[in-house]
Amino acid sequence: MKICIVSSCGGHLTEVRALMPAYAAHAHFYVLNDKALLPPDMVGRTDFIVHSERDWRFFVNLWEAFRILRRERPDVILSTGAGPAVPFALVGRALFGCRILFVESITRISAPSMTGKLMYRLAHDFFYQWESLGRFFPRGRLGGPLL
């Protein structure tokens, strides 16, 4: 199994790396939407894409997702957000048959994020970290806090 880990930098990356025990034994690579100082295990296995804030660059992200997913051929796309999760989920699911796993951010305690609302419809497996989000995501699963 090969896993594509899509994230924005900062807190989302910290959260998805907290899941490393679940994916470390599998072939995996990262996609980030901004340059970052990478820990040694991410060097050489990270692609950087254009940072889009719900603007025209979203279409650039769709193209980047296609190029990267065509080259890497992952079985699973895993993300905790934010923006780059959506184009990778769209392209991965529609064109490459990828299984999509999404974890809503730990910062979302009482209301879902925009990405969470979109990914709830796209993800095969959707997890949230606070019980209070259950009413927004009835077919999602409470996973508890990652951090």
Side-chain angles (χ1 to χ4, degrees):
M1 179 169 51
K2 189 173 192 180
I3 304 170
C4 172
I5 301 150
V6 180
S7 180
S8 56
C9 294
H12 291 289
L13 183 57
T14 300
E15 282 187 275
V16 82
R17 288 184 54 81
L19 293 168
M20 192 180 299
Y23 63 78
H26 302 284
H28 62 279
F29 65 98
Y30 298 87
V31 176
L32 302 178
N33 69 347
D34 214 345
K35 296 291 182 190
L37 183 59
L38 299 176
D41 67 288
M42 290 178 65
V43 173
R45 57 167 51 166
T46 302
D47 287 290
F48 295 96
I49 61 171
V50 170
H51 187 99
S52 171
E53 288 293 334
R54 295 186 277 268
D55 56 19
W56 64 270
R57 289 175 285 198
F58 173 82
F59 297 104
V60 175
N61 286 168
L62 287 171
W63 173 248
E64 291 169 317
F66 174 75
R67 263 189 25 252
I68 292 168
L69 296 175
R70 181 183 63 190
R71 180 186 74 224
E72 295 290 343
R73 300 292 180 163
D75 302 294
V76 175
I77 297 173
L78 167 65
S79 185
T80 57
V86 175
F88 274 79
L90 285 169
V91 172
R93 186 172 177 144
L95 299 180
F96 298 100
C98 297
R99 184 158 195 87
I100 312 298
L101 281 74
F102 186 78
V103 181
E104 178 69 296
S105 172
I106 195 168
T107 64
R108 304 315 247 166
I109 298 169
S110 58
S113 66
M114 172 72 75
T115 302
K117 290 177 189 177
L118 294 170
M119 291 301 293
Y120 181 66
R121 299 184 186 288
L122 294 171
H124 295 93
D125 299 291
F126 186 96
F127 299 89
Y128 51 92
Q129 299 184 56
W130 299 104
E131 196 172 326
S132 55
L133 292 181
R135 65 188 177 107
F136 296 102
F137 305 122
R139 65 175 176 78
R141 287 181 269 179
L142 176 63
L146 288 175
L147 303 174

